[in-house]
Amino acid sequence: MTLGAAFRERGMEEQLRRLRLYWLATRHGLLKGRNELDVKWSEAHVIDWMKTLRLPPFEGAYTERRPGSGCPACPSEPGMIPSARVDLVFPGGARLKCNGCGVQWVELER
């Protein structure tokens, strides 16, 4: 599956339009610096979305966890509530980051 198809499948039309603009700019040599287009999208941003949506070849970049299961790296101790923040929400899931160790993971609604 491509990033565009993943956006389309999730109804993420704004992200799909911006991705199309990024690739159009790429084909016409409009990118600057580190393959960036001045619309807040960059190669790193596209790769980050691919990691978040678990698309090849980045499907293993973030661990997939059950919603509310907490950090995959920090040991869970009795009586402790895991502390994490939501970095990104998208249709069908979210990307979280542990406030303790900084590990990121994806929680998908199945």
Side-chain angles (χ1 to χ4, degrees):
M1 177 181 283
T2 66
L3 180 58
F7 283 155
R8 191 176 309 107
E9 180 180 287
R10 289 170 173 81
M12 300 170 72
E13 296 304 318
E14 181 62 31
Q15 287 80 6
L16 182 58
R17 282 191 293 276
R18 290 175 185 231
L19 179 64
R20 286 178 179 149
L21 178 60
Y22 175 78
W23 289 122
L24 179 65
T26 300
R27 285 196 304 264
H28 292 280
L30 301 174
L31 303 181
K32 296 180 181 178
R34 299 173 73 184
N35 288 329
E36 295 179 347
L37 176 62
D38 189 20
V39 290
K40 306 296 183 209
W41 278 71
S42 65
E43 182 178 9
H45 189 73
V46 171
I47 290 171
D48 192 46
W49 270 112
M50 292 179 75
K51 289 177 179 179
T52 299
L53 298 178
R54 303 180 51 77
L55 301 174
F58 302 102
E59 61 268 33
Y62 297 128
T63 302
E64 181 180 341
R65 307 275 293 164
R66 288 185 339 265
S69 61
C71 179
C74 291
S76 116
E77 297 179 27
M80 296 216 35
I81 299 172
S83 177
R85 74 170 187 264
V86 176
D87 274 348
L88 178 70
V89 176
F90 56 91
R95 188 180 70 218
L96 290 90
K97 184 174 185 175
C98 179
N99 289 328
C101 71
V103 166
Q104 292 182 300
W105 67 94
V106 174
E107 294 183 357
L108 301 177
E109 299 167 9
R110 295 281 179 191

